[in-house]
Amino acid sequence: MSKQIIEAQILNKISIPLLSLESTVLTHGLPRPQNLTLARDMQRVVRENGATPATIGVLEGKVIVGLTDAQLEQLANAENVRKISRRDFAAAIVKKETGGTTVAGTMFAAHRAGIKVFATGGIGGVHEAGSLDISADLQALADTPMIVVCAGAKAILDLPATLEYLETMGVPVIGYQTDEFPAFYSRESGLPVSARLDTPQEVVAFAKAHWELGMESAVLVCQPPPAITALPRQAVEGAIQQARQEARQRNIHGQALTPFLLQRLNELTDGATLRANLDLLLNNARLGAQIACAYSAAIHQRAV
Ligand code: PSU
Ligand code: MN
């Protein structure tokens, strides 16, 4: 493990609230220059809410937990950057490549560094029925005990199938101040969550109960996107169908599929999905920081 991971472990031991953040969203999910602005804004929001951000990424073969501002800039502007899920770390290390870590990749490194809370935009999930494209994020959620804050799964996915998979793998799906699973760009999906919680303290109490039972899975906290930029389901549905069809026609699949769909949606909606995406990322960073603070307060209390 890299020096940075060890440093993060030390910070964690002295109970500084840490919030891990992913970087595929910067390298593959958002266009430039909004990606770097967003990365910086997320770090600022985390600090304003009393936690320390640890953005995770890979630079020239080194896994870094807690990218500096200069490193964020390097990553946001890097060419030929790899999308790093769990299977890709070793390749990036031996080839000394630079890459953004996905939800699964970020959870792996954050967990090794002892960080318990992570905020992202939308998790990966099950793509269209019959495609057998199931994000490694779901397996990571199944076997990594962390609190993951998101706005649900991206609307480009098969949401009922994604929820079924999470149920099979024993991952609690928490609605944060909602009874409904959010659909990333939209506040509504018509699909239920497994439990509803309303405060950061309740989330921490739930996670502690889950893990004290010996569960190994994550607790997925789903916060609806902010109402001001969220899009009604019907408003994005047409664009999603079109983007999916184009992906099929152009034979785009595997790791390239999610970035392609996100970019096409942005174009097809005149930037409305991008605005929603940026807003919900900041909103999740805020809640993630609040949960990280509540978690560290709970741990500290027990230690005294
Ligand atoms: N959410 C976003 N934008 C993104 C992603 C999520 O708003 O770019 C990224 C995450 O890093 C997630 C990845 O882990 O997409 C999922 O990719 P795949 O479906 O190939 O596993
Ligand atoms: Mn995939």
Side-chain angles (χ1 to χ4, degrees), residues 220-278:
L220 187 64
V221 177
C222 305
Q223 172 170 240
I228 187 142
T229 47
L231 300 163
R233 204 75 223 271
Q234 316 87 282
V236 263
E237 201 50 49
I240 290 171
Q241 293 310 333
Q242 186 175 335
R244 271 184 176 160
Q245 199 186 339
E246 287 179 18
R248 269 195 303 272
Q249 280 162 356
R250 296 169 59 173
N251 203 20
I252 293 169
H253 47 76
Q255 283 193 317
L257 182 59
T258 297
F260 172 82
L261 292 175
L262 293 178
Q263 191 201 325
R264 272 309 277 149
L265 276 183
N266 178 26
E267 291 161 4
L268 292 168
T269 62
D270 283 329
T273 55
L274 178 59
R275 282 190 292 278
N277 201 344
L278 295 172

Side-chain angles (χ1 to χ4, degrees), residues 22-26 28-30 83 85 101-106 120-125 127 133-137 154 157 184-185 254-259 262 277 280-281:
E22 63 148 312
S23 50
T24 292
V25 66
L26 310 178
H28 293 76
L30 299 171
K83 176 171 162 183
S85 191
T101 48
T102 64
V103 168
T106 304
T120 181
I123 58 162
H127 278 273
D133 183 344
I134 300 171
S135 175
D137 293 355
K154 277 164 297 204
L157 300 165
F184 193 62
Y185 302 123
Q255 283 193 317
L257 182 59
T258 297
L262 293 178
N277 201 344
L280 69 85
L281 280 160

